[in-house]
Amino acid sequence: MGERAASLRSALSGAAALGRRSLGRSSALALCRKRQTLPNPSPGRWPSLLKYYSHTDGVSWLEEYKARHNAGLEAQRIVASFSKRFFSEHVPCDGFSDIETLGCPSHFFEDELMCILNMEGRKGLTWKYYAKKILYFLRQQNILKNLKEYLQRPTDRQSFLEGAVLIDQYCNPLSDICLKSVQAQVDDITDKVRKVLRTKNPRHPSLASKAGEVLIPEVELQRQVLDAMNCVLYEQLKYKGNELDYYNSLNSYIHQVLIRRTGIPISLSVLYLTIARQLGVKLEPVNFPSHFLLRWCQGKEGSTDIFDYTYIDAFGKGKQLTVKECEYLIGHHVTEEFYGVVTSKEVLQRMVGNLLNLGKRESTDQSYQLLRDSLDLYLAMYPDNVQHLMLQARLYFHLGIWPEKVLDILQHIQALDPSQHGAVGYLVQHTLEHIERRKEEVGPEVKYRSDEKHKDVCFSIGLIMKHKRYGYNCVIYGWDPACMMGHEWIRNMNVHSLTHGPHQPFYNVLVEDGSCRYAAQENLEYNSEPREIPHPDIGRYFSEFTGIHYLANTELEIRYPEDMDLTRVTVQMIYSSGKE
């Protein structure tokens, strides 16, 4: 395998050298022109593509190099176009539609996007911003295909762990998450459990080479496995339920559960169940209200009597519960149906449902990414669920994205449930109006500082500021000569209590906590220690961080053509005088 990898690297390196000689002067000049706006990407790009080649026979490396080179140029062209085309949109939907019809190998296209994202330094922020969005979209499409394939398998071939990984991958498509690495971590925990078992019972069947392929019939031997699991997971490795930060979405992602060793009942149950099955103990998932559980059969296998089972709380350090204790756990009585076993699809439904609820609680993410992702997952499993289809249509409508897709969703809802005609009709009418308004849109509003009505605007875009009252750090990406919000917002934010009330300049700022805020001029001051603002939308507005301020990208500078000159003068005056 090592020789083969070396051979591939050698061939790829040779093809790259030959390709550079054979692509000709015009292509090389074109590439140089492209790279005037983009720092040279990492030279280690080719080794990352080795996984797509199983052998060297029959592969024309020169043709592969040409294909990769052309895909790179195509990726750079598309990324460069996004800012101009979609600057005013949170989600560049039309651009995604273009990408779906790519004429080049997707893995080469993705590789160029990764090169852009991995550029060092604080430049190319706008390129990185759109490369990230495009890569996010492309990977999600592939993961969604894998999920649909998973759901079509027979239930006995639907691994609970694989399902959890697919959800994790879809919500974190830019992270390096794969079933193989997650399974390896679970296997490592399983090996630790075997070591504990060996000290207790050297002849235990779970220690055999084929353990896990055959279930252990004796209850006492199963109990020994569960005791060893509890010892390893909760005593040695210190896994625990995350009671202090229960509503953190990281608790739902299996790779984060393994890293942080904490989670919520359902994610910890998937881990617990998987380890138990690898050691020959069959545990089953129970969709218990408010607190996901596992059940362990103590009677005849397949029994329908809920009292033939012991219930396991993976969130509560593997505690074994009776039926009555399960009710004490949630504080009320439940009917027998809630003690029944559920399928892998129903487990995924509950995991996605948890993420949906978290997505609805989001306050800082203006694009509602988690809510959109979890809706995609839910509708991949239940494409005809009217309630969630309507939620998706309303969300897209609220965000002003995918208007054509909104109409398709509404048409589908109407076909499924004609009683929804009132809500559907309202959304159809307003979505059509939105489409028409978009067609009539003229160029962007341009604000000149030299205009008399802007004479009171003291600060400029790109400056890093500090809020006097709340202390947060932020960067200005827009301004108005006076507050442009409605009366209700002004009243709720108590603007009239300010010295100058709403009749003063207000600034659009990106805040270090990921939020976007609208701040009064009297509440802002220059930041004496400027630093980068870790905001997900920073690249949407700025192309570079200089170390003391941000440089507006082309689209933002078009809208504020006189601001950057003032920003440069301001930072020179403030920070150079500070050094003296």
Side-chain angles (χ1 to χ4, degrees):
M1 182 65 189
E3 292 177 1
R4 177 174 294 170
S7 175
L8 282 168
R9 290 190 185 94
S10 176
L12 287 166
S13 177
L18 180 59
R20 281 192 291 271
R21 291 195 295 271
S22 60
L23 282 171
R25 180 179 175 84
S26 60
S27 295
L29 287 173
L31 184 60
C32 287
R33 283 196 294 271
K34 285 282 184 185
R35 287 185 177 163
Q36 285 176 354
T37 56
L38 187 66
N40 286 329
S42 166
R45 61 170 61 176
W46 282 98
S48 67
L49 297 171
L50 287 174
K51 61 185 177 183
Y52 295 104
Y53 303 96
S54 58
H55 57 80
T56 58
D57 297 337
V59 177
S60 171
W61 296 114
L62 175 57
E63 292 305 315
E64 289 297 290
Y65 172 77
K66 288 180 178 178
R68 169 62 182 83
H69 173 76
N70 291 332
L73 293 179
E74 179 69 1
Q76 292 184 29
R77 182 190 66 78
I78 290 176
V79 171
S81 73
F82 263 51
S83 184
K84 182 176 182 179
R85 295 169 62 196
F86 308 115
F87 178 81
S88 301
E89 301 178 21
H90 275 296
V91 183
C93 308
D94 293 338
F96 292 155
S97 301
D98 295 345
I99 293 165
E100 287 179 313
T101 57
L102 276 175
C104 59
S106 61
H107 62 282
F108 284 158
F109 191 88
E110 281 197 24
D111 188 54
E112 182 64 25
L113 296 176
M114 285 303 301
C115 287
I116 294 171
L117 287 173
N118 292 331
M119 289 189 304
E120 295 180 2
R122 299 159 168 175
K123 297 182 179 181
L125 299 180
T126 300
W127 280 68
K128 291 176 182 178
Y129 175 78
Y130 287 106
K132 183 176 180 180
K133 285 193 173 293
I134 294 168
L135 188 61
Y136 200 103
F137 172 80
L138 282 174
R139 289 190 174 175
Q140 281 195 327
Q141 297 311 295
N142 289 329
I143 296 163
L144 214 52
K145 290 177 186 175
N146 295 338
L147 175 62
K148 291 176 180 177
E149 184 275 326
Y150 168 90
L151 294 170
Q152 289 171 357
R153 294 182 209 161
T155 53
D156 60 348
R157 290 185 53 233
Q158 292 178 343
S159 150
F160 293 101
L161 186 67
E162 183 179 358
V165 168
L166 285 166
I167 289 174
D168 193 346
Q169 288 175 325
Y170 193 81
C171 294
N172 303 283
L174 301 182
S175 299
D176 186 16
I177 305 163
C178 69
L179 178 60
K180 185 177 179 181
S181 64
V182 170
Q183 183 65 63
Q185 293 175 74
V186 174
D187 290 344
D188 184 58
I189 298 173
T190 306
D191 289 341
K192 286 181 169 62
V193 176
R194 286 197 178 98
K195 287 181 182 178
V196 172
L197 266 176
R198 189 172 286 112
T199 63
K200 304 290 185 182
N201 182 356
R203 297 177 178 273
H204 197 286
S206 290
L207 303 177
S209 58
K210 293 187 178 181
E213 295 180 13
V214 179
L215 296 176
I216 301 170
E218 295 87 352
V219 171
E220 182 52 37
L221 291 175
Q222 293 178 23
R223 188 183 305 280
Q224 291 175 13
V225 170
L226 299 182
D227 288 345
M229 282 177 55
N230 289 345
C231 174
V232 170
L233 281 171
Y234 304 111
E235 294 178 28
Q236 292 183 12
L237 299 179
K238 307 298 183 185
Y239 275 79
K240 61 181 180 180
N242 196 344
E243 296 178 347
L244 296 178
D245 194 15
Y246 190 89
Y247 295 103
N248 188 328
S249 61
L250 297 181
N251 295 324
S252 294
Y253 303 139
I254 193 68
H255 89 283
Q256 288 288 350
V257 171
L258 290 165
I259 291 170
R260 299 162 71 239
R261 300 186 182 183
T262 188
I264 53 176
I266 193 166
S267 57
L268 290 169
S269 291
V270 167
L271 176 61
Y272 197 99
L273 175 152
T274 302
I275 296 169
R277 290 199 174 185
Q278 290 184 188
L279 294 168
V281 178
K282 181 181 180 181
L283 300 181
E284 298 173 302
V286 176
N287 212 1
F288 205 65
S290 305
H291 199 105
F292 199 87
L293 296 170
L294 300 170
R295 73 179 193 181
W296 171 33
C297 186
Q298 306 287 287
K300 183 179 178 182
E301 185 177 351
S303 170
T304 57
D305 187 345
I306 64 173
F307 294 98
D308 282 344
Y309 294 86
T310 293
Y311 299 87
I312 296 175
D313 179 13
F315 185 83
K317 298 187 176 182
K319 185 177 181 180
Q320 296 173 9
L321 307 170
T322 63
V323 169
K324 184 58 71 175
E325 287 171 329
C326 289
E327 294 183 352
Y328 289 150
L329 186 67
I330 61 172
H332 60 85
H333 173 72
V334 296
T335 56
E336 288 192 8
E337 64 183 295
F338 290 104
Y339 291 91
V341 66
V342 289
T343 66
S344 54
K345 184 177 179 180
E346 290 170 314
V347 172
L348 296 194
Q349 177 187 358
R350 179 145 173 181
M351 294 183 84
V352 172
N354 288 338
L355 291 170
L356 264 170
N357 290 330
L358 293 177
K360 293 174 184 177
R361 295 160 62 106
E362 283 181 334
S363 58
T364 59
D365 183 4
Q366 290 187 320
S367 66
Y368 290 91
Q369 189 67 61
L370 179 57
L371 182 55
R372 289 191 288 124
D373 289 347
S374 47
L375 274 171
D376 288 344
L377 288 167
Y378 196 98
L379 291 169
M381 294 186 286
Y382 302 97
D384 295 334
N385 185 288
V386 171
Q387 178 186 353
H388 289 85
L389 283 167
M390 183 62 79
L391 177 58
Q392 187 177 60
R394 289 184 185 279
L395 178 62
Y396 289 172
F397 175 76
H398 169 74
L399 295 173
I401 63 175
W402 301 107
E404 289 79 11
K405 190 171 182 178
V406 170
L407 294 178
D408 291 339
I409 295 170
L410 294 172
Q411 185 177 18
H412 187 43
I413 293 172
Q414 186 64 36
L416 291 170
D417 185 2
S419 69
Q420 297 287 332
H421 67 274
V424 167
Y426 174 86
L427 286 174
V428 166
Q429 177 186 343
H430 287 275
T431 301
L432 290 172
E433 290 174 359
H434 169 70
I435 293 173
E436 288 303 313
R437 282 196 305 272
R438 199 168 62 172
K439 290 178 182 177
E440 298 169 0
E441 283 178 358
V442 293
E445 180 187 3
V446 179
K447 295 180 180 179
Y448 293 96
R449 305 190 66 84
S450 54
D451 193 317
E452 176 63 22
K453 64 183 178 182
H454 299 152
K455 60 181 175 61
D456 294 328
V457 178
C458 296
F459 308 132
S460 51
I461 60 171
L463 287 175
I464 298 175
M465 311 296 289
K466 193 176 189 71
H467 197 280
K468 294 178 182 177
R469 180 178 298 181
Y470 301 122
Y472 60 71
N473 299 305
C474 59
V475 58
I476 296 171
Y477 71 95
W479 48 258
D480 296 309
C483 183
M484 301 300 289
M485 301 299 279
H487 294 298
E488 185 176 353
W489 186 91
I490 290 172
R491 183 177 66 252
N492 291 340
M493 300 303 293
N494 202 22
V495 173
H496 287 291
S497 67
L498 298 173
T499 304
H500 301 288
H503 308 295
Q504 63 175 308
F506 270 69
Y507 297 84
N508 300 104
V509 295
L510 300 177
V511 184
E512 58 191 343
D513 65 1
S515 63
C516 301
R517 304 193 189 184
Y518 196 48
Q521 181 164 280
E522 68 180 73
N523 281 337
L524 293 176
E525 62 184 357
Y526 297 119
N527 196 315
S528 59
E529 297 180 353
R531 56 176 180 265
E532 281 189 90
I533 304 298
H535 193 285
D537 282 347
I538 203 78
R540 180 179 175 186
Y541 303 102
F542 302 102
S543 61
E544 180 182 344
F545 178 61
T546 68
I548 51 177
H549 71 283
Y550 280 91
L551 297 182
N553 62 21
T554 303
E555 298 307 312
L556 186 62
E557 197 160 11
I558 287 172
R559 289 155 175 79
Y560 297 90
E562 299 172 346
D563 267 44
M564 286 314 301
D565 287 339
L566 178 62
T567 297
R568 293 184 186 94
V569 171
T570 302
V571 297
Q572 186 176 8
M573 178 183 65
I574 295 172
Y575 302 116
S576 61
S577 63
K579 291 178 182 178
E580 295 172 2

